Structure formats: structure tokens, C-alpha cells
Amino acid sequence: MPISIVAGNWKMNTTIVEAAALASSMVGDLEEVNGVEVVICPPFVSLAVVAEVLRGSSVALGAQNMHHEVKGAFTGEVSPSMLATICQFVILGHSERRQFFAESDESVNRKIQAAQRVGLRPIVCVGEQLEEREAGRAEQVVAGQLRAGLEGVARVEGLVVAYEPIWAIGTGMAATPEIADGMMAHVRGVLSSVYGPEQASDVPLLYGGSVKPDNVDEFMELPNVNGALVGGASLDSASFVAIAHSAAEASS
Ligand code: 13P
């Protein structure tokens, strides 16, 4: 079983000062969480200052996106090598990027490969829309995103997959444990068909979508779930620490 991961995606929230304060308010308590890898993903402009706050701690740093090229004339973009000097993780293909910034599976694919080249661990997000679920196409959509995203990706080393059903993000309506576990088993099956069962079993699978302190246990006890990708609740120090503790207890 892979080591569980609890990652906080702060999305487009916090100024630099607020980010430093939020990270400072949780790093001490997060340090006491054993057996789970904890990751904080603040906005780009706050990565450097949060890296300072986390320095010497067991809490890892992640970015929320990146460009796939190493450098060049790509105004406004941030490259893998820029991130690799301070981050360990990068969230790729989040549904908000797919929805609002026309991120395609092909683009996610280029980014995964670029992340691996510089030693960043990609947290690859997949998930279906409500209409797709209602039409009985959820598994097909997720498998399609995964296969296209991983096209030509030779190794799973460092790879993390987050299943975030779009209808569960920021809605307070988390997936049921049955839906989450069923989809995770499906994701594991797809990974297994591409990389073989042994390699596939090493990939941490995170559930994301309205994870809160009072429902995280339901997900963490599922056989196919190895952690959580947390949005809103990661902006509250006490909530995020509680989620990390629950994940640690469930995986001990
Ligand atoms: P919420 O936890 O706010 O639903 O967000 C989930 C998410 O999108 C994390 O990447």
C-alpha cells in the first residue's frame, strides 16, 4: 500500500501575508501527524514564503499548475524547473483548469511528463461532471482522462491520482463512500491495465470534493482510497489539521 497523502489546495485564496500566516498556524500541528504525507499547495506568489515557513518540517509544498516547457517566451507562465527548486508536488489537470482555462488531456499529458523530468510529483486530477454521471458515463470519462493523460508516461514513480467528481467540489455534497470506492477501484484497474498490477498498486489514489473533518473518516477507511485532496477545508488551520490526523489514524 502506498503512503497516504493529505494535500491542501488553497486555490486562488490568500495574499502573501495571509498565506505565510496560515502556513505558520498549521505547520507545528501538522508536524505531529505521522504516517501520512501532508502537502500544502498555495498560490504561485506565496510558494517562496510558504517554503520558508515549512523549511525543516515534514510538510511538503506543492504548486497548483505549471507550464510544460522548461523556459522561454511564455508570458505569465511558471515552468517545471522554477517549481522544482522549492516544491515537491504539483497539481495537474484540476477540473477548474480544465473548465475555465481550456486545459486538455493532451496538455495535462505534456505537463505530467515535464513534472517527472524535473522530479516533481504530479497530483493528476480526474473526475466527471454531474451530467456525465447521470448518463452512466462516469467511469468512461475518468478512464479516458487517465489514459490520455498518461499516454507515453513510462513510469508511475511519483505519480499521484486524485479523483474529484466535479459535482462534489465546493458544493458540500461529497461523493458517497460507495461512489468514491467504486471509482477508485476503476482507476486502479485502468492503471493496472497500463502499468501492471504491481506498479499500479504503488500509486496513491486521493479522493477530493467537499472533504471535511466530519466526513474524512468515511473516505479514509475505504480499501482503495489512500488520502484526500482538500479545497475549502484546507484554508482553515484546525480543519486541515483534523483531516490530516484522521487520515493518519485510518492508515496506522
Ligand atoms: P473542496 O474541498 O472545496 O470541495 O475542493 C476540492 C478540490 O477541488 C481540491 O482540489
Side-chain angles (χ1 to χ4, degrees):
M1 269 242 293
I3 294 177
S4 293
I5 295 176
V6 173
N9 175 8
W10 292 3
K11 307 192 179 183
M12 196 174 72
N13 294 291
T14 67
T15 62
I16 295 175
V17 170
E18 288 166 350
L22 182 57
S24 303
S25 73
M26 51 175 84
V27 63
D29 289 332
L30 292 175
E31 272 268 78
E32 287 167 20
V33 179
N34 293 315
V36 173
E37 186 143 24
V38 180
V39 188
I40 292 177
C41 306
F44 283 135
V45 291
S46 297
L47 285 173
V49 74
V50 172
E52 280 306 310
V53 173
L54 302 183
R55 187 188 288 271
S57 82
S58 58
V59 181
L61 188 64
Q64 299 173 16
N65 180 37
M66 65 174 202
H67 195 272
H68 65 272
E69 292 286 350
V70 172
K71 61 178 180 176
F74 300 101
T75 302
E77 292 296 310
V78 174
S79 84
S81 48
M82 293 172 190
L83 296 178
T85 59
I86 49 172
C87 293
Q88 296 77 47
F89 290 82
V90 59
I91 297 171
L92 296 177
H94 191 281
S95 63
E96 287 149 16
R97 299 230 43 99
R98 294 177 190 260
Q99 194 178 349
F100 304 129
F101 303 97
E103 181 107 88
S104 65
D105 288 332
E106 292 68 34
S107 158
V108 174
N109 176 253
R110 283 195 291 269
K111 292 179 181 188
I112 294 171
Q113 302 194 47
Q116 285 191 331
R117 276 196 290 274
V118 295
L120 282 168
R121 296 189 65 183
I123 302 177
V124 180
C125 301
V126 294
E128 82 285 355
Q129 295 174 8
L130 188 58
E131 307 82 73
E132 293 167 332
R133 170 156 292 278
E134 286 173 348
R137 295 182 52 238
E139 295 200 341
Q140 186 190 332
V141 167
V142 167
Q145 291 170 339
L146 209 49
R147 285 186 190 280
L150 294 173
E151 178 87 44
V153 174
R155 19 177 216 110
V156 292
E157 272 162 62
L159 182 72
V160 182
V161 176
Y163 167 55
E164 300 203 309
I166 295 169
W167 44 270
I169 295 177
T171 59
M173 193 177 78
T176 62
E178 292 71 29
I179 287 180
D181 201 50
M183 188 61 87
M184 293 305 194
H186 179 63
V187 166
R188 188 84 68 198
V190 172
L191 291 174
S192 187
S193 72
V194 180
Y195 298 103
E198 212 167 296
Q199 283 207 60
S201 67
D202 285 344
V203 179
L205 304 185
L206 317 186
Y207 168 74
S210 296
V211 173
K212 307 280 179 235
D214 59 5
N215 67 10
V216 63
D217 285 342
E218 291 171 25
F219 297 106
M220 289 306 304
E221 65 196 19
L222 299 171
N224 293 301
V225 175
N226 315 114
L229 180 53
V230 186
S234 71
L235 292 166
D236 178 77
S237 180
S239 295
F240 191 59
V241 168
I243 289 170
H245 272 294
S246 292
E249 268 166 44
S251 45
S252 65

